[in-house]
Amino acid sequence: MADPAQHAAGTQGADGTRHAHGDGGDHGGHGSHGGHDAHGAHVHHRGHAGRAGHGPAGDAGWRTAVQATLHCLTGCAIGEVLGMILGTALGLPGGATVVLSIALAFGFGYALTMRGVLKAGLPVRRAVKVALAADTVSILVMELIDNTVMVTVPGAMDAGLGNALFWAALAGSLALAFVLTVPVNRWMIARGRGHAVVHAHHQH
């Protein structure tokens, strides 16, 4: 009859080596499962970090959206101010001045984008298409918000360039337009549209 103590410690093979049984094998199995669990948790964490709005990719998308909106803001601000100056100098009514300002805002916004892609080596016709694809929605949203605020603020449109009310209303309208346009640009860039088209050409 086999000795229970000998059976618990292990069996001895023909070469004199004792083979362990019992707890040692069980712990090895649990260690393997622990490794798989840790690996699964790591993969899950990486997948969660890579979702839209999280992790480095999401942060880069927001940074690009802010830069794109600042680009549009520059063109809009130049167009707005120049349009008001010309409208005042020419004695245009308020509605005509707004239309002139919007037209100039689009013109300067497109021109700023074209300058960058032309430096990247694109021909003029292709640069125009890139500018239209990159800036149209962004400038449209910004101008809609900007001019709505300017028209809504009492007396802002009739205040004139020498009045602090005009400049305060313009600054506030541009700031609000910037804040509300950034998410729009972020949404478009995440889908390969808007200024994502410009960045694709700069990378080549």
Side-chain angles (χ1 to χ4, degrees):
M1 182 175 180
D3 185 0
Q6 180 182 359
H7 179 73
T11 59
Q12 186 172 1
D15 57 354
T17 304
R18 186 174 298 276
H19 301 281
H21 297 286
D23 294 341
D26 293 338
H27 283 300
H30 286 298
S32 175
H33 285 298
H36 285 299
D37 292 341
H39 177 69
H42 177 66
V43 171
H44 173 73
H45 177 71
R46 288 201 311 174
H48 178 72
R51 293 176 186 172
H54 298 279
D59 294 341
W62 282 109
R63 285 196 298 271
T64 304
V66 169
Q67 293 172 357
T69 309
L70 285 173
H71 171 94
C72 292
L73 182 67
T74 302
C76 288
I78 295 173
E80 289 284 340
V81 174
L82 184 58
M84 293 297 175
I85 292 175
L86 292 176
T88 301
L90 297 174
L92 299 177
T97 301
V98 169
V99 172
L100 177 61
S101 298
I102 293 175
L104 290 173
F106 273 95
F108 278 100
Y110 290 143
L112 290 175
T113 298
M114 286 185 60
R115 184 184 64 175
V117 294
L118 285 172
K119 288 182 178 179
L122 266 69
V124 175
R125 181 175 296 181
R126 180 58 179 163
V128 171
K129 292 181 179 179
V130 170
L132 291 174
D135 290 329
T136 299
V137 174
S138 179
I139 297 177
L140 182 62
V141 172
M142 186 165 286
E143 283 299 300
L144 178 63
I145 298 169
D146 175 31
N147 285 281
T148 298
V149 173
M150 289 295 294
V151 173
T152 302
V153 175
M157 291 297 300
D158 299 325
L161 298 176
N163 195 313
L165 176 60
F166 168 80
W167 294 106
L170 179 62
S173 65
L174 290 174
L176 180 61
F178 172 80
V179 172
L180 297 180
T181 308
V182 168
V184 176
N185 281 325
R186 174 67 180 89
W187 183 85
M188 294 181 64
I189 290 169
R191 286 154 182 78
R193 302 175 183 176
H195 267 254
V197 179
V198 177
H199 285 277
H201 286 287
H202 281 308
Q203 290 173 359
H204 290 297

